[in-house]
Amino acid sequence: MSTQPSPSNQSESAAVQKQNSSLTNPSQATKEVSPDRPLLQEIVENDREEHIESVRLGVLLSIGIGILNACTYVTRGHVFASSQSGNILYLGLDLAQGNFANVTKYLFPPLMFAIGIIIAEHYKDKPDYPRWRQIPFLIEIVLITSASFLPDSWNALANPIFGLATGLQTITFRKIRRTPVATIVITGSFQNSIIHLTRFLTVHDRADAFRAMVYLIIVLAYFAGIVGGAMLCPYLGHYTSLVSALFLFLCTFIALPERYQLEENRREKE
């Protein structure tokens, strides 16, 4: 005896087929890349339709985090705000050399970074928070601004606060055009840019070239933030981190609250 599939089963089957096709065909994981236009033009023109996953939002965030890392390293005792691998490296070296005085200096920023991720994940998983990104993002701006006014003698408190703020950003911004991107560290984006460039040179798929360029843009933005932040430190001191907060504030004009809702609705329909 044969039965007709229910509408709900048909919709679930269609959703599974669509998900599988996006995994097997990389070009469908992002917007379709036109073979007739230069890649940079493709990024700029299509980016106007994006808000949460826009390239310009990722660039501003990367510049801001680069400035913040330069500021904390130069003016806050050689501690990184977001590059926790660097802090853990320094922690291990100090422990190996018996320099236990710096244990708290390099231990608490990674711990607070982890707490920031936990907080952001909490908001993300709440079913009644379709605009969950707003809350941790605004908290991040407030934390960076507040810590910027702490004197140098309070670096033991300021640096963990910066770690907490950057931990929040790991969740609030994770993709550009459906391509996973980390704006708080440079290693992953640099590695992925080389990987997709190698794939493009091998199989000549423009989707790989598109992704390689997106990752490279994020790397260059992060690098520009580091250079710019280091150049500002002699003039602004530890207040350079306020410039980072300003870049984060500018991001709110790209991804306004009502746009979050529109973007979420579009994601659900897809």
Side-chain angles (χ1 to χ4, degrees), residues 29-102:
T30 59
K31 286 182 176 292
E32 184 177 355
V33 181
S34 172
D36 301 325
R37 289 186 294 181
L39 286 175
L40 188 58
Q41 180 183 356
E42 184 81 22
I43 291 175
V44 172
E45 292 186 357
N46 285 347
D47 197 58
R48 298 170 185 171
E49 304 174 7
E50 298 286 344
H51 304 295
I52 294 176
E53 298 183 359
S54 69
V55 175
R56 61 190 183 280
L57 184 60
V59 166
L60 287 177
L61 291 174
S62 297
I63 293 175
I65 292 299
I67 292 174
L68 184 60
N69 273 312
C71 173
T72 57
Y73 186 83
V74 174
T75 69
R76 296 284 187 178
H78 292 181
V79 177
F80 295 105
S82 69
S83 300
Q84 302 307 327
S85 58
N87 292 331
I88 294 174
L89 171 64
Y90 284 133
L91 175 63
L93 293 176
D94 285 334
L95 289 176
Q97 297 171 2
N99 188 7
F100 301 108
N102 286 335

Side-chain angles (χ1 to χ4, degrees), residues 68 72 76 81 143-144 147-148 157-167 241:
L68 184 60
T72 57
R76 296 284 187 178
L143 287 175
I144 293 177
S148 299
L157 176 60
N159 288 325
I161 292 177
F162 290 130
L164 174 63
T166 55
S241 52

Side-chain angles (χ1 to χ4, degrees), residues 164-226:
L164 174 63
T166 55
L168 293 173
Q169 187 170 310
T170 62
I171 304 298
T172 55
F173 187 85
R174 306 179 69 174
K175 294 180 180 180
I176 291 179
R177 308 274 290 282
R178 299 177 176 84
T179 299
V181 171
T183 56
I184 63 165
V185 290
I186 200 68
T187 307
S189 295
F190 181 73
Q191 176 183 346
N192 287 328
S193 67
I194 302 301
I195 289 175
H196 286 287
L197 177 60
T198 303
R199 291 178 181 175
F200 170 70
L201 295 177
T202 304
V203 299
H204 305 290
D205 188 344
R206 281 180 61 86
D208 284 316
F210 181 88
R211 285 177 171 149
M213 181 167 290
V214 168
Y215 282 121
L216 182 59
I217 290 173
I218 295 301
V219 170
L220 293 177
Y222 188 95
F223 181 75
I226 293 174

